[in-house]
Amino acid sequence: MRENMEKHLNERKAINKSKGKAGRCPYAKKCGGCALTGMPYPEQLKKKQHMMEELLGSFAKVEPIIGMKEPEHYRNKVHHVFDRDRRGNIIAGSYEAGSHKVVDIDECLIEDVKSQQIIKTIKELAKSFKIRIYDEDSGFGLLRHVMVRRGFKSGEIMVVLVLSSPILPGKNNFVKALKKAHPEITTIVINVNDADTSMVLGEKETVIYGPGFIKDELCGCRFRISPKSFYQVNPVQMERLYKKAIEFAQLTGSETVIDAYCGIGTIGLSAASHAGEVIGIELNSDAVKDARLNARENGIKNARFFVGDAGDFMNDNADELHPDVIFMDPPRSGSTEKFMSAAVKMKPERIVYISCGPDTLKRDLKYFKKHGYKAERIQPFDMFPFTAEHVENVVLLTGAN
Ligand code: SAH
């Protein structure tokens, strides 16, 4: 594990050095991904710190943002859209800002390098295997997207081919050729997305190589990650973020803890050995399946996970559950009044809010303030260097009662 991680970091250092000036991106003008390319990293951090102070400073002191030492190529989940250019060449990359035109990207500043190389190989293989590329306008063609996920510590690699139908002609030879070019790949999955949608992944999946998931290590636990489960894309910052969240929770070993919007159980399971009992709630049933298996795999017996809407779950259990600590890690759209009113009703001593959407965090902090919960600490993290507004924050809230 450690070896893999060091290999990974050295790889990044070497690339950063060879490029000379960090932060330069040849696609900056076209690609809508990173608004801060070209800005020196310390300045990016200053800008984000300032933004957070402006936005959240009235609730509590905003602590200095935690940035990265090697801020490039941090994204361990790489997703490219496939298309053809005007001359008919296969291209893969991201959408141009504000459009559905694909920018052909071979070398992205923030994506994992190995994953990009794999996508490049898939581009070549698609040509030699004559795989039809999906056309958004007509709805014809097969290959829509490729997603690659790489376990930071384990080095395991998952390739997800998003197709418009489940049949990949020449499948076995395709897998063989891809594996030959990149023996590090540990699993390949076909995901079927036949809908006219901007969502990347469809419901149906077929594993065509390996176990259908990768494993990675985080905060001393091993995690199984399925294609559709959420997993933070920046593993270095993720571990720091979760450690901070657990520090804010001040667990002594006896507490009842709710891990709301728990995904594959990363926060709750990392906290379980410091708590009496962990109850996780999550909407995505694949993620909950992962969370339960992750508990078992790590020998954790004091954690239970439920599938459902977090707001409904809290509301339904507001009279019975008396957690000491609630972790909440909602999507960018933030939490709901249903969730928060039930959370307040449960009277936890501490709420640890992990947020990836500063604006919705502000809105939700207002609600908690109005209902007797005070922000004690606000710790920003730069989870997504080079992108403009996506600052992650961990906030400790304490109740007056
Ligand atoms: N805590 C996890 C996941 C955070 S991302 C981690 O750090 O890995 C937010 C999660 O909220 C996603 O897994 C998403 O599936 C889940 N989610 C979104 N809406 C939800 C809802 N209404 N109720 C419960 N979970 C929800």
Side-chain angles (χ1 to χ4, degrees):
M1 285 271 176
R2 178 147 283 280
E3 251 172 47
N4 276 318
M5 194 173 79
E6 271 165 18
K7 202 171 120 202
H8 214 125
L9 283 175
N10 286 336
E11 204 177 272
R12 279 190 205 170
K13 269 190 207 155
I15 294 163
N16 291 348
K17 243 193 192 158
S18 72
K19 281 209 198 124
K21 195 163 162 50
R24 285 239 175 103
C25 167
Y27 312 98
K29 281 206 179 113
K30 280 190 170 173
C31 167
C34 303
L36 302 183
T37 39
M39 184 185 281
Y41 190 56
E43 257 178 58
Q44 294 181 31
L45 290 178
K46 254 195 223 155
K47 183 180 162 79
K48 290 182 178 179
Q49 178 72 21
H50 181 69
M51 274 163 56
M52 291 309 106
E53 282 171 4
E54 290 274 291
L55 199 66
L56 306 171
S58 64
F59 295 101
K61 176 180 175 285
V62 177
E63 293 175 35
I65 188 166
I66 296 177
M68 297 186 78
K69 250 198 192 144
E70 299 288 338
E72 300 191 356
H73 302 288
Y74 57 85
R75 268 197 84 97
N76 268 28
K77 180 172 113 176
V78 173
H79 155 239
H80 282 199
V81 195
F82 274 63
D83 201 355
R84 283 188 184 276
D85 66 13
R86 257 192 257 140
R87 274 168 289 163
N89 300 316
I90 297 174
I91 56 171
S94 51
Y95 290 118
E96 261 183 35
S99 92
H100 264 219
K101 225 172 136 205
V102 175
V103 189
D104 191 27
I105 293 177
D106 278 339
E107 262 184 59
C108 165
L109 186 69
I110 63 170
E111 292 173 350
D112 173 55
V113 177
K114 181 89 226 163
S115 306
Q116 293 185 62
Q117 288 164 352
I118 291 173
I119 294 183
K120 204 170 164 205
T121 303
I122 294 175
K123 251 194 314 195
E124 288 155 13
L125 290 179
K127 188 176 176 199
S128 56
F129 278 76
K130 298 194 168 52
I131 294 172
R132 286 165 304 128
I133 305 301
Y134 184 80
D135 179 70
E136 262 188 24
D137 298 327
S138 67
F140 287 117
L142 186 65
L143 180 58
R144 298 184 73 157
H145 311 262
V146 171
M147 185 178 94
V148 181
R149 252 180 183 170
R150 185 178 182 199
F152 180 59
K153 292 194 186 166
S154 68
E156 294 184 11
I157 296 178
M158 172 190 338
V159 175
V160 181
L161 306 168
V162 183
L163 307 181
S164 61
S165 102
I167 313 290
L168 175 65
K171 180 187 80 191
N172 294 347
N173 287 335
F174 182 88
V175 168
K176 235 190 241 163
L178 186 56
K179 274 286 296 169
K180 191 165 172 232
H182 301 284
E184 307 87 344
I185 294 173
T186 51
T187 191
I188 305 174
V189 178
I190 289 179
N191 175 284
V192 185
N193 186 352
D194 53 11
D196 180 12
T197 166
S198 58
M199 297 275 288
V200 177
L201 298 179
E203 266 306 303
K204 244 180 42 202
E205 276 172 10
T206 323
V207 180
I208 57 172
Y209 174 76
F213 57 84
I214 54 166
K215 286 195 177 160
D216 203 14
E217 202 187 287
L218 175 74
C219 298
C221 293
R222 274 177 76 79
F223 289 96
R224 163 197 156 116
I225 308 144
S226 297
K228 280 186 279 190
S229 298
F230 174 88
Y231 192 61
Q232 288 279 5
V233 298
N234 184 335
V236 172
Q237 293 295 79
M238 165 167 66
E239 192 155 43
R240 294 183 182 150
L241 179 82
Y242 292 160
K243 281 190 176 151
K244 186 56 77 178
I246 292 168
E247 177 198 318
F248 280 4
Q250 300 162 53
L251 301 172
T252 62
S254 61
E255 292 81 0
T256 296
V257 170
I258 290 183
D259 179 9
Y261 310 91
C262 68
I264 61 171
T266 35
I267 298 172
L269 292 174
S270 304
S273 61
H274 312 284
E277 185 192 14
V278 172
I279 300 157
I281 172 74
E282 159 66 44
L283 196 57
N284 177 335
S285 57
D286 282 4
V288 172
K289 197 170 138 207
D290 283 349
R292 288 175 181 150
L293 288 164
N294 287 333
R296 204 185 311 153
E297 166 123 342
N298 288 287
I300 294 170
K301 299 207 168 71
N302 58 342
R304 287 177 291 152
F305 294 93
F306 298 91
V307 183
D309 170 72
D312 287 347
F313 178 87
M314 296 292 278
N315 195 43
D316 294 348
N317 292 286
D319 294 326
E320 288 87 53
L321 281 179
H322 305 290
D324 303 287
V325 174
I326 297 177
F327 287 107
M328 54 187 288
D329 185 8
R332 198 158 288 157
S333 52
S335 192
T336 57
E337 279 212 25
K338 193 175 200 183
F339 180 97
M340 292 186 286
S341 64
V344 168
K345 207 168 161 199
M346 287 175 178
K347 293 194 167 56
E349 267 176 49
R350 288 177 286 285
I351 297 173
V352 180
Y353 193 140
I354 300 117
S355 152
C356 57
D359 292 324
T360 52
L361 173 64
K362 180 178 179 178
R363 180 197 69 201
D364 293 349
L365 288 183
K366 265 192 206 154
Y367 182 94
F368 279 123
K369 190 174 173 186
K370 200 167 149 202
H371 294 84
Y373 277 80
K374 182 175 178 298
E376 298 280 347
R377 296 185 66 179
I378 301 177
Q379 175 64 66
F381 284 82
D382 189 22
M383 256 345 226
F384 309 104
F386 301 103
T387 70
E389 71 279 23
H390 306 319
V391 179
E392 194 103 2
N393 285 281
V394 183
V395 180
L396 168 63
L397 293 148
T398 53
N401 21 48

